[in-house]
Amino acid sequence: MDIMWKKVENEGEIKELAGIANEVWHQHFATILSPEQIDYMVDKFQSERAMTNQIKEDGYEYYFIVADGVKVGYTGIKREQDMLFLSKLYILKRYRGNGYASKTFSFLKQECKKSGLKGIYLTVNRYNDSTIAIYKKTGFQTIRTQVTDIGNGFVMDDYVMELMA
């Protein structure tokens, strides 16, 4: 398996990324969140407009996860003081279970080393059991819980987890 991480760099790629995000979010969160909250969160955080702003204004980097020439998912990161914030890591449903997330964690650890960062942290929905299990298997530890009001009557009820590099 040939896997690479292709940085998202132009409007066409952001548009393609937003399409993948919309598909993944509706697949993955259907059993955890209401359809209304999924639509709201995709628009607020993973739409073409939102991701363009995150890249251009907020210092986020997005990468397609490409396996054997096929875009199987994506990851979004932001380098902060001494940690790498893993904002997004999603694999399309039809490609899950092939080790792409594990290989992406190796890529992210290398990014930490290159940037002199001490580790990776993330937020994950407290009811997203399968994803939490993957993070724990990778070595992430839960450091706290947080509830964030995201507007429109919705909240994100998350664990904050970290992995020291």
Side-chain angles (χ1 to χ4, degrees), residues 43-164:
D43 181 62
K44 186 171 178 77
F45 301 116
Q46 294 289 269
S47 64
E48 188 176 347
R49 169 190 38 77
M51 289 189 287
T52 297
N53 188 60
Q54 291 164 11
I55 292 167
K56 292 185 175 180
E57 305 294 329
D58 299 331
Y60 283 81
E61 298 171 24
Y62 281 93
Y63 295 85
F64 290 115
I65 302 167
V66 183
D68 296 324
V70 176
K71 292 177 179 111
V72 299
Y74 69 100
T75 189
I77 60 173
K78 182 179 181 185
R79 289 168 175 80
E80 298 182 349
Q81 293 124 355
D82 58 351
M83 296 285 282
L84 183 73
F85 174 50
L86 173 55
S87 174
K88 309 285 182 289
L89 173 54
Y90 295 109
I91 308 296
L92 287 160
K93 187 173 186 174
R94 62 190 167 276
Y95 300 113
R96 291 183 197 145
N98 291 299
Y100 302 133
S102 296
K103 288 186 178 2
T104 299
F105 286 122
S106 296
F107 165 73
L108 296 173
K109 288 177 192 175
Q110 289 299 324
E111 290 299 305
C112 280
K113 287 186 171 83
K114 283 196 254 182
S115 299
L117 302 173
K118 69 179 187 180
I120 303 167
Y121 82 98
L122 56 85
T123 59
V124 59
N125 184 292
R126 288 174 35 184
Y127 305 100
N128 194 347
D129 296 331
S130 61
T131 300
I132 292 167
I134 292 167
Y135 290 146
K136 285 182 176 178
K137 183 179 171 189
T138 305
F140 279 86
Q141 296 184 344
T142 302
I143 57 171
R144 69 178 182 276
T145 61
Q146 68 182 27
V147 177
T148 307
D149 184 339
I150 58 170
N152 218 36
F154 299 118
V155 298
M156 292 190 306
D157 187 4
D158 294 333
Y159 290 125
V160 178
M161 301 180 80
E162 70 179 15
L163 173 68
M164 303 316 284

Side-chain angles (χ1 to χ4, degrees), residues 8 10-20 48 51-52 64:
V8 174
N10 62 53
E11 290 177 13
E13 290 175 336
I14 294 171
K15 183 179 180 100
E16 183 179 8
L17 178 64
I20 292 171
E48 188 176 347
M51 289 189 287
T52 297
F64 290 115

